[in-house]
Amino acid sequence: MESLPRHASPPISAVIRRIPEDFWVDEIPVTEPNGEGEHLWVFVEKRSENTAELANRLARAAGIRKSAVSYAGRKDRHALTRQWFSLHMPGLPDPSIEQLAQAGLNVLRHARHTRKLRIGALRGNRFSLCLREVEGERSTLDQCLQAIAEHGVPNYFGEQRFGRAGGNLAGALAMFEGRTRPDRERRSLYLSAARSALFNAILAERVRTDCWNCLLPGEAVQLDGSGSFFVTDAVDGDLPQRLDAWDIHPSGALWGAGEPPSHDRAGALEREVASRFPDLAAGLRAAGMKQERRPLRVRPADLTWRWEDAAQSDLILEFTLPAGVFATAVLREIADYTDAAASAPTQRQEAAEQH
């Protein structure tokens, strides 16, 4: 996929994720456990570990199957994150905190609940990020951040969605061509990467033509905070006011079977972009994925910033994003950043190098 255009040139350059503590993520759940039920919810802090690996360790520590552990969303490996997991333990006693701690698990809270955690069952995430070795136009940084707080940023999927060196997207293409038959979890990752790549390409075209933050004729208009949408033939009536109030948003296709609901200018743009990637579009159709929508824009809530040092070389950013939105979509509009974690070896590579 081609590089993704920014809405505007970022005023600074910086390094992110020099250490995991530079990238704090706190999950905001839809609900809290009610204290009873056959599901044990545990709120865990993890460092430099991906969510699936931690779920497997929880299963081993509790003596249950991996399939009995669930979570609302995957979090970055190269970060310090806090999130809920649910363990299905009907008729079983709760494992002790000491037992979990001996397995290297930092459990901050735990309680029973009547239901399991399901993917997507979170309101969002609160981020606290440290940008190090900042260089550039500090004088225009405040103006940039204020504009983002007011007008938002393009809602790109982050590079994490595509795996290390884009491996998930390459895996999707191999799967679509019949060269591999991945297991259920890997297949889900590959399908997500393929849909995300097509969405990013559609959004990139809207950014290039300066229409990512406005409505087009034939737009599938998405309601704020909802997967619901309606298609408009003309941008008239109260639509411009609702758009300015962030009650509605322009949306892009999450590709699947059939045709996207957009038409006219908005629909023509989506279909033209999808035609550039026939293998991805055809593979998603054949996999039976549904046509869905994602807002083209997002606005970070409660955005604050401050310098950590007198030399103004380390910048602290804090903000909240809805579920499914990537912090790097915000960062890329603020800084031309280098991700120090991108060159860090994975645990599997480290193990291989030791043998």
Side-chain angles (χ1 to χ4, degrees), residues 34-39 41 112-116:
N34 58 20
E36 60 182 26
E38 59 186 34
H39 299 275
W41 283 30
R112 287 275 178 164
H113 194 56
T114 50
R115 295 184 179 182
K116 67 177 284 186

Side-chain angles (χ1 to χ4, degrees), residues 22-344:
D22 287 348
F23 208 96
W24 280 73
V25 188
D26 271 298
E27 186 176 85
I28 305 170
V30 170
T31 187
E32 296 278 347
N34 58 20
E36 60 182 26
E38 59 186 34
H39 299 275
L40 175 65
W41 283 30
V42 291
F43 192 55
V44 181
E45 181 177 278
K46 68 180 183 68
R47 183 183 189 275
S48 300
E49 185 173 14
N50 75 31
T51 302
E53 290 169 351
L54 185 54
N56 291 341
R57 288 210 293 135
L58 278 168
R60 289 194 297 270
I64 57 178
R65 303 184 316 275
K66 291 191 296 184
S67 59
V69 180
S70 60
Y71 45 83
R74 296 175 181 268
K75 301 291 186 287
D76 294 273
R77 171 196 291 274
H78 300 289
L80 188 67
T81 69
R82 296 171 177 172
Q83 71 177 115
W84 284 100
F85 292 79
S86 69
L87 288 65
H88 191 207
M89 304 183 67
L92 297 175
D94 293 355
S96 68
I97 295 298
E98 291 76 16
Q99 178 183 347
L100 296 176
Q102 287 174 0
L105 299 163
N106 185 13
V107 176
L108 305 178
R109 295 171 57 194
H110 63 97
R112 287 275 178 164
H113 194 56
T114 50
R115 295 184 179 182
K116 67 177 284 186
L117 262 175
R118 298 188 180 277
I119 290 291
L122 68 159
R123 295 190 188 280
N125 295 286
R126 180 70 181 168
F127 296 89
S128 180
L129 312 179
C130 181
L131 280 63
R132 300 191 182 275
E133 302 172 35
V134 172
E135 297 181 356
E137 297 296 328
R138 290 167 177 77
S139 59
T140 60
L141 179 60
D142 283 359
Q143 181 180 352
C144 169
L145 290 164
Q146 288 165 0
I148 287 173
E150 182 177 353
H151 301 295
V153 298
N155 189 19
Y156 287 119
F157 284 100
E159 55 265 32
Q160 306 97 305
R161 176 57 59 94
F162 306 105
R164 193 175 183 86
N168 289 347
L169 190 56
L173 289 170
M175 179 178 68
F176 293 156
E177 293 168 4
R179 292 186 282 116
T180 61
R181 296 186 66 181
D183 60 28
R184 181 178 178 182
E185 181 179 0
R186 189 66 60 181
R187 179 178 184 272
S188 177
L189 288 175
Y190 292 167
L191 290 173
S192 292
R195 294 183 97 190
S196 301
L198 270 180
F199 174 88
N200 277 1
I202 291 168
L203 176 51
E205 189 63 26
R206 298 275 300 241
V207 172
R208 289 189 191 95
T209 54
D210 197 27
C211 58
W212 65 277
N213 207 5
C214 63
L215 300 178
L216 298 178
E219 189 84 61
V221 183
Q222 194 156 353
L223 302 180
D224 186 54
S226 169
S228 300
F229 64 88
F230 61 92
V231 179
T232 181
D233 294 326
V235 184
D236 54 14
D238 65 349
L239 291 182
Q241 291 75 26
R242 294 179 67 187
L243 184 73
D244 290 343
W246 285 74
D247 177 49
I248 57 174
H249 308 284
S251 72
L254 294 172
W255 212 264
E259 292 294 321
S262 56
H263 63 89
D264 203 332
R265 185 181 166 193
L269 183 148
E270 291 189 344
R271 289 165 176 81
E272 192 280 323
V273 171
S275 72
R276 303 175 198 169
F277 308 98
D279 293 343
L280 293 180
L284 289 167
R285 283 195 294 268
M289 301 297 288
K290 294 181 180 179
Q291 285 280 351
E292 296 177 303
R293 309 299 295 183
R294 175 180 171 91
L296 295 181
R297 62 180 189 168
V298 64
R299 183 169 60 174
D302 305 318
L303 173 61
T304 64
W305 59 94
R306 68 181 187 277
W307 293 104
E308 190 175 50
D309 59 334
Q312 295 190 349
S313 61
D314 295 344
L315 177 67
I316 304 296
L317 294 173
E318 295 183 339
F319 51 86
T320 300
L321 293 174
V325 176
F326 288 75
T328 49
V330 178
L331 284 181
R332 71 192 310 275
E333 300 295 327
I334 298 168
D336 185 7
Y337 64 81
T338 299
D339 188 349
S343 59

